[in-house]
Amino acid sequence: MKTALITGATSGIGYEFAKQLADRGFGLIVVGRRVERLQELKESLSVPVDVIKADLNNQQECFGLLDQVADKDIDVFINNAGFGLCGKFVETDVNREVSMVQVNDIAMHILFKGILQQMNKAGKGQILNVASSAGILPAGPYMATYYASKAYVVSLTRAVDVELKESGSGVKVSALCPGPVDTEFNDTADVVFALKGISARQCVSEALKGMDRAKTIIVPSLRMKLAMAFQAIVPMPILVKLTARQQKKKMD
Ligand SMILES: NC(=O)c1ccc[n+]([C@@H]2O[C@H](COP(=O)([O-])OP(=O)(O)OC[C@H]3O[C@@H](n4cnc5c(N)ncnc54)[C@H](OP(=O)(O)O)[C@@H]3O)[C@@H](O)[C@H]2O)c1
């Protein structure tokens, strides 16, 4: 049986990955802080599920997670845990932002590298780093740190993808770049979406299809694919102002 490791599996996109990968016959290792939710998820699925409690805001717990899965044969890693924060940079809480950079970037980085090294030794595997359409756009006024944190995920994934291909590695890496998805993200980020979100189910189903085709950048939904094509031809200063207008609506 193949095994998938999923961080942030307690809700939203990670939870949906757990369900759809279980439907594909994967055994699961699921990670999050709200361990009671992971136990409920385990009980609802008919595949073997290992539950690991970890706070990825803590670097020691990131390395501890790698130690706990060091002897596992992981076929798919969904590097998903993350959160957002909305507001004017001059006013937002620096502690929440540092925590966001820790979870969205540092933990993502530590786990990406650790699992990649493990998979590379095995000569196979697939990693999906969950970024955002925010990571493709040049900047996101009023959600500045979140956009910057997701640009890091996209840039890192693109670079490592080329290194792996040039070295003939059997491991494939992708970045998932959704627009708005209906999850608990908004409650955490304290925003309302300016655009209607897609369901986590649609997001994950399109993500898995993108992984099947070994796409490096996966953008779910036709509307976001068109938006990403449009942004590539708009001059950067105009695009940043347009993004600012969209972001401001989220604070209403
Ligand atoms: N929803 C969107 O519109 C959207 C769009 C683009 C990208 N994304 C990205 O998709 C990913 C999943 O978000 P979501 O929309 O599914 O939001 P969500 O429903 O709020 O889920 C976030 C997940 O991350 C986990 N997490 C957060 N902080 C953590 C920490 N310190 N330690 C361990 N786990 C932590 C949470 O688990 P616990 O709280 O149980 O620890 C939860 O399972 C994020 O990286 C997000 O940036 C979301």
Side-chain angles (χ1 to χ4, degrees):
M1 177 180 266
K2 289 191 171 183
T3 301
L5 168 66
I6 308 167
T7 63
T10 56
S11 71
I13 294 169
Y15 183 87
E16 189 61 35
F17 266 112
K19 288 204 308 193
Q20 293 195 27
L21 284 166
D23 286 347
R24 286 183 174 213
F26 279 76
L28 304 177
I29 305 167
V30 291
V31 182
R33 290 167 302 182
R34 290 170 291 176
V35 78
E36 63 293 343
R37 285 200 183 191
L38 297 177
Q39 289 296 351
E40 279 169 29
L41 173 65
K42 176 180 173 148
E43 279 154 31
S44 73
L45 299 173
S46 53
V47 294
V49 179
D50 283 352
V51 168
I52 298 181
K53 182 175 183 182
D55 182 354
L56 302 180
N57 190 29
N58 177 323
Q59 280 187 37
Q60 288 319 311
E61 295 201 23
C62 298
F63 288 112
L65 170 58
L66 286 178
D67 288 343
Q68 286 182 73
V69 299
D71 62 345
K72 307 275 186 193
D73 190 8
I74 297 166
D75 299 279
V76 166
F77 173 35
I78 308 294
N79 200 3
N80 163 73
F83 67 96
L85 177 64
C86 201
K88 293 180 185 166
F89 184 74
V90 73
E91 291 171 0
T92 41
D93 176 4
V94 71
N95 292 318
R96 277 190 77 191
E97 281 171 334
V98 169
S99 172
M100 182 169 42
V101 171
Q102 164 61 38
V103 177
N104 292 7
D105 295 328
I106 309 292
M108 183 284 308
H109 183 123
I110 292 169
L111 299 175
F112 181 30
K113 187 184 277 275
I115 301 297
L116 174 59
Q117 287 172 334
Q118 205 167 312
M119 286 180 169
N120 218 26
K121 268 194 204 141
K124 63 171 176 64
Q126 210 164 5
I127 299 176
L128 182 77
N129 291 324
V130 178
S132 167
S133 56
I136 297 177
L137 291 161
Y142 306 105
M143 220 172 171
T145 310
Y146 179 72
Y147 273 61
S149 78
K150 291 300 184 179
Y152 183 93
V153 183
V154 173
S155 174
L156 189 71
T157 310
R158 278 195 165 123
V160 174
D161 173 57
V162 171
E163 290 182 17
L164 293 174
K165 283 177 178 153
E166 290 193 350
S167 66
S169 170
V171 184
K172 296 182 175 65
V173 297
S174 310
L176 177 62
C177 299
V181 184
D182 293 329
T183 65
E184 294 176 15
F185 180 89
N186 275 0
D187 302 336
T188 312
D190 208 12
V191 298
V192 287
F193 282 147
L195 299 168
K196 192 179 167 342
I198 59 170
S199 66
R201 188 177 173 174
Q202 180 186 349
C203 175
V204 169
S205 154
E206 293 197 31
L208 289 174
K209 283 184 197 145
M211 289 173 77
D212 291 341
R213 298 205 301 272
K215 289 188 72 177
T216 308
I217 302 294
I218 303 170
V219 179
S221 95
L222 180 60
R223 189 178 62 182
M224 283 316 292
K225 282 188 182 74
L226 291 173
M228 291 301 106
F230 172 72
Q231 70 87 30
I233 55 168
V234 178
M236 208 236 270
I238 297 174
L239 191 58
V240 176
K241 283 199 173 149
L242 286 175
T243 310
R245 208 166 66 186
Q246 282 302 110
Q247 287 304 134
K248 262 189 186 162
K249 288 185 200 163
K250 292 184 183 176
M251 300 195 294
D252 291 346

